[in-house]
Amino acid sequence: MKMVLMSVSMRRLGVLACVLALLVAAGCGAGPARTAARKSGQVAIVAAFYPLQFVAQRIAGNHAGVANLTQPGAEPHDLELTPRQVASLTTASLVLYERGFQPAVDEAVAQSENPEVIDTTTIVPLRPLTPTGDDRGYGEGAGDDHATLDPHVWLDPTRVSRIARVVEKRLMSIDPDHAADYAQNAAALTRQLRSLDRSFRSGLADCVRTEFITTHAAFGYLAARYHLTQIAITGLNPDSEPSPARIAEVQQVAREHGLTTIFSETLVSPAVAQAVAGDLGLTTDVLDPIEGITDRSRGQDYVAVMASNLAALRRAGGCS
Ligand SMILES: [Zn+2]
């Protein structure tokens, strides 16, 4: 009789433990979960979109798993999250995101109450989409709050370097056992980004044409850094459709500046670029906003695709 009672209470305890485990998994006590993950030698990083994943992977090397909330080939603007992804933000050792870019991520990060978070806008503030040259059409989607700030900071390699330095320091404090490796990996990444920046500066220093026409307005930071002028057919949202009037305007600008190329993107249909190029007999080429890497990308990582972007800009600009 006594034995039976004991086994019942043991079972009760078991049930209680399960409930506690569920609460932990659900995020009611994520701190212990994070600590346990670190003790088992597994640093789990969650990055909101590809360029942040790239930075995290390069610095963490084989000391961390890096998950990307934006699936390869998916478009990161207006991303939606699965419940599993939302839960992963609570247990992650470190979360990297850019506040103001992906509203679903902003909300999930706030809900997670995870203290190990890097919001890249605290390192590299977003600037308003300032018109450089032709700004007609930039107003599309302007009723939308987050459409007024330009999120595409990663297309300036010097800004990526600044983000990388903060990721390095944070990983060193989260996982001090591997601090030396993080420092070494970050130094290597910084050297590569610096060299990329030098290639852009010298490669774009002497061009016949400094205006370039893109599909969505992703290249504002790049244009500002290298003294080019971006003319975007649509606004900040890659999915918005330009009006026939907007297409006519862009064609007029192309004629005025003697431009030869209309750029399309890897993850977005080239139809818009083709529509603009078609009537004028212009070429289309790809300028990649690096919002994801797929097998169609012109390069296997951020640095390689940026090098392809430089080559494309040099062709379009007639640079020497
Ligand atoms: Zn974009």
Side-chain angles (χ1 to χ4, degrees):
M1 193 62 186
K2 216 173 185 181
M3 286 292 286
V4 171
L5 275 178
M6 206 160 104
S7 86
V8 167
S9 63
M10 288 292 280
R11 216 176 294 143
R12 279 221 184 110
L13 272 178
V15 169
L16 187 62
C18 284
V19 169
L20 281 175
L22 279 172
L23 284 174
V24 167
C28 301
R34 272 195 298 277
T35 311
R38 273 203 297 287
K39 280 198 180 129
S40 71
Q42 270 289 353
V43 176
I45 304 176
V46 176
F49 55 94
Y50 173 72
L52 299 182
Q53 178 196 20
F54 167 77
V55 167
Q57 275 173 336
R58 285 292 305 270
I59 298 175
N62 53 16
H63 298 310
V66 183
N68 181 359
L69 294 177
T70 307
Q71 300 308 306
E75 211 280 310
H77 293 252
D78 302 323
L79 173 75
E80 286 177 24
L81 299 178
T82 65
R84 185 188 285 256
Q85 288 178 316
V86 171
S88 76
L89 294 178
T90 303
T91 52
S93 324
L94 177 62
V95 176
L96 302 176
Y97 80 118
E98 183 183 284
R99 205 167 121 102
F101 178 36
Q102 298 167 295
V105 175
D106 292 359
E107 198 182 313
V109 166
Q111 273 173 12
S112 78
E113 295 179 3
N114 188 335
E116 295 294 355
V117 163
I118 295 177
D119 165 14
T120 61
T121 68
T122 62
I123 310 161
V124 177
L126 301 187
R127 43 173 241 185
L129 186 68
T130 45
T132 47
D134 178 88
D135 68 335
R136 290 165 291 187
Y138 281 5
E140 284 163 37
D144 203 343
D145 267 354
H146 78 274
T148 55
L149 289 174
D150 184 353
H152 305 93
V153 292
W154 59 89
L155 291 163
D156 169 0
T158 65
R159 285 176 159 88
V160 177
S161 284
R162 283 159 61 191
I163 293 169
R165 278 195 289 275
V166 174
V167 173
E168 171 200 358
K169 296 288 177 289
R170 187 71 76 89
L171 278 175
M172 290 167 87
S173 87
I174 289 173
D175 179 23
D177 291 353
H178 300 113
D181 289 350
Y182 295 138
Q184 197 177 3
N185 293 343
L189 175 61
T190 303
R191 274 196 302 277
Q192 212 178 356
L193 293 170
R194 246 189 234 137
S195 138
L196 187 64
D197 176 53
R198 272 197 301 275
S199 317
F200 266 82
R201 270 187 289 155
S202 59
L204 297 170
D206 187 11
C207 304
V208 179
R209 295 167 289 275
T210 56
E211 300 84 5
F212 62 98
I213 300 181
T214 65
T215 310
H216 92 287
F219 300 90
Y221 296 92
L222 185 153
R225 170 105 190 128
Y226 304 111
H227 311 293
L228 303 176
T229 303
Q230 164 181 250
I231 299 156
I233 302 169
T234 65
L236 275 176
N237 185 345
D239 298 323
S240 63
E241 286 258 337
S243 64
R246 176 64 189 156
I247 289 178
E249 276 173 358
V250 173
Q251 288 177 329
Q252 179 57 32
V253 173
R255 270 193 297 266
E256 279 166 20
H257 295 289
L259 304 183
T260 57
T261 307
I262 309 290
F263 286 117
S264 66
E265 299 176 10
T266 317
L267 299 184
V268 178
S269 154
V272 168
Q274 282 160 359
V276 175
D279 301 348
L280 300 178
L282 304 181
T283 328
T284 59
D285 200 351
V286 170
L287 196 59
D288 195 327
I290 322 189
E291 297 185 345
I293 296 279
T294 70
D295 29 341
R296 284 173 299 144
S297 302
R298 294 179 175 181
Q300 290 187 342
D301 69 7
Y302 170 84
V303 173
V305 179
M306 279 299 271
S308 300
N309 280 346
L310 173 57
L313 284 167
R314 284 174 48 76
R315 280 192 297 274
C319 309
S320 55

